[in-house]
Amino acid sequence: MTAYIIRRLLLMIPTILGILLINFTVIQFAPGGPVQRVIAQLTGTDVAATARIGGTGGGDFGNTSAAQNNAGAGDAATTSKYRGAQGLDPEFIEQLEKQFGFDKPAHERFVLMLWNYIQFDFGESYYRDVTVIDLIIEKMPVSISLGLWMTLLSYGISIPLGIRKAVRDGQRFDIWTSGVIVVGYAIPGFLFAVLLIVLFAGGTFLDWFPLRGLTSENFDQLPWYAKVVDYFWHLTLPLVSMALSAFATTTFLTKNSFLDEIKKQYVMTARAKGLTERQVLYGHVFRNAMLIIIAGFPGAFIGAFFAGSLLIETIFSLDGLGLLSFESILNRDYPVVFATLFIFSLLGLMLSLLSDLIYTIVDPRIDFETRET
């Protein structure tokens, strides 16, 4: 097993390299960019990024006014590769390119990024005076809370429910629970989140749950047991919104997997030996049927950790990694974009390896060492 783990760890290197290379190449052809964005903002469309000039990004600009003074230093119209840059001082454009690292060829920027990532140096955000790693750590508690509890809640309910539906296949319990699950799956999570806010978060009816944040303002002054209650009080509505559609896939997957195993010969043999239904179900069937559920765990966790939480974070004003990554893409904050991409890719690959290790724990007959590579 040690050789297999080493082989998988080594294969992560070209995998992550390929992911970063493809996305880096796509970014080069994407319209806009940090320099273009600052130029557009200097014309008066926005001031968010101009406030960033002169921060810790390496430029020599003191503030927005100084940048505008530099921009206006050249009165003559200048041909530029950036749309809207006519009339701006060419030296100012060069300083912008140097500040954002675009004074180097694309391949040099990519190699430099890889070298920094090997050292886990993700640089600084273009538009915030903070390092990317500090920014990610700041947003991590929200995403971990949503992803972890969402996955545990989904699996903790879906697996027992799927087993019970398999045992009672075709009976009334199986039919009405299937109807409820399908209806829940058909309702978009963000739409259900809005409904929960209207009903329970001071919208039109009840005001039982908070509308924003992961904790209350006086969280630090609360005793430990009150902190736990406050934490889950804030998580209740977001988790319910996210978990509504997550039950369907895992529940039906569990049910069908158990039904396939129950029909096999070894189950009939176990029953013929006088074992109780519970012993057959959890002593023999469970181990084999759960393999397919374990295989889907990494994808489910990553989905809940990142993509699945984006709209929920927005609706409930939870400032997590999903919202951070989305805003970074819109704002062309490339250090944050590639850092989150790298971290989530690495996390996904590690969880995939973990699922293989869990395979061997659930069913010791599985031996990845003997597989051909």
Side-chain angles (χ1 to χ4, degrees), residues 79-127:
T79 303
S80 174
K81 61 183 177 181
Y82 299 106
R83 184 173 56 183
Q86 289 75 12
L88 297 180
D89 188 351
E91 293 184 1
F92 172 71
I93 302 298
E94 292 177 1
Q95 287 178 318
L96 278 180
E97 291 180 331
K98 184 177 181 180
Q99 175 180 344
F100 294 118
F102 287 92
D103 57 327
K104 301 180 180 65
H107 67 278
E108 290 186 15
R109 300 201 308 270
F110 182 71
V111 172
L112 179 60
M113 182 182 71
L114 292 180
W115 174 249
N116 291 334
Y117 281 12
I118 292 174
Q119 306 173 71
F120 282 88
D121 177 11
F122 301 109
E124 293 185 348
S125 170
Y126 283 161
Y127 308 117

Side-chain angles (χ1 to χ4, degrees), residues 40-210:
Q41 288 160 349
L42 286 174
T43 62
T45 58
D46 196 352
V47 296
T50 57
R52 172 63 181 83
I53 298 177
T56 57
D60 296 298
F61 314 109
N63 49 40
T64 303
S65 298
Q68 291 174 335
N69 291 335
N70 283 331
D75 295 330
T78 304
T79 303
S80 174
K81 61 183 177 181
Y82 299 106
R83 184 173 56 183
Q86 289 75 12
L88 297 180
D89 188 351
E91 293 184 1
F92 172 71
I93 302 298
E94 292 177 1
Q95 287 178 318
L96 278 180
E97 291 180 331
K98 184 177 181 180
Q99 175 180 344
F100 294 118
F102 287 92
D103 57 327
K104 301 180 180 65
H107 67 278
E108 290 186 15
R109 300 201 308 270
F110 182 71
V111 172
L112 179 60
M113 182 182 71
L114 292 180
W115 174 249
N116 291 334
Y117 281 12
I118 292 174
Q119 306 173 71
F120 282 88
D121 177 11
F122 301 109
E124 293 185 348
S125 170
Y126 283 161
Y127 308 117
R128 312 182 193 210
D129 292 319
V130 63
T131 63
V132 174
I133 192 65
D134 289 339
L135 193 59
I136 291 175
I137 293 174
E138 177 186 344
K139 313 297 182 184
M140 191 73 76
V142 171
S143 296
I144 290 180
S145 296
L146 291 176
L148 179 61
W149 293 114
M150 162 60 193
T151 305
L152 293 178
L153 180 65
S154 174
Y155 273 68
I157 296 177
S158 298
I159 292 176
L161 180 60
I163 295 175
R164 189 173 181 84
K165 286 174 63 64
V167 173
R168 299 193 176 186
D169 182 42
Q171 299 181 16
R172 181 177 299 178
F173 175 83
D174 179 43
I175 295 173
W176 75 261
T177 52
S178 295
V180 172
I181 293 173
V182 170
V183 171
Y185 183 75
I187 300 176
F190 70 91
L191 185 61
F192 190 64
V194 174
L195 176 63
L196 292 178
I197 290 175
V198 172
L199 294 178
F200 302 110
T204 304
F205 298 93
L206 304 174
D207 190 9
W208 290 353
F209 296 95

Side-chain angles (χ1 to χ4, degrees), residues 7-85:
R7 185 165 64 248
R8 284 290 301 272
L9 291 175
L10 292 176
L11 286 174
M12 290 181 186
I13 298 175
T15 302
I16 293 180
L17 180 63
I19 293 173
L20 291 176
L21 178 60
I22 292 173
N23 284 272
F24 185 86
T25 304
V26 171
I27 287 295
Q28 305 311 305
F29 297 98
V35 176
Q36 182 68 53
R37 187 169 184 265
V38 171
I39 292 174
Q41 288 160 349
L42 286 174
T43 62
T45 58
D46 196 352
V47 296
T50 57
R52 172 63 181 83
I53 298 177
T56 57
D60 296 298
F61 314 109
N63 49 40
T64 303
S65 298
Q68 291 174 335
N69 291 335
N70 283 331
D75 295 330
T78 304
T79 303
S80 174
K81 61 183 177 181
Y82 299 106
R83 184 173 56 183

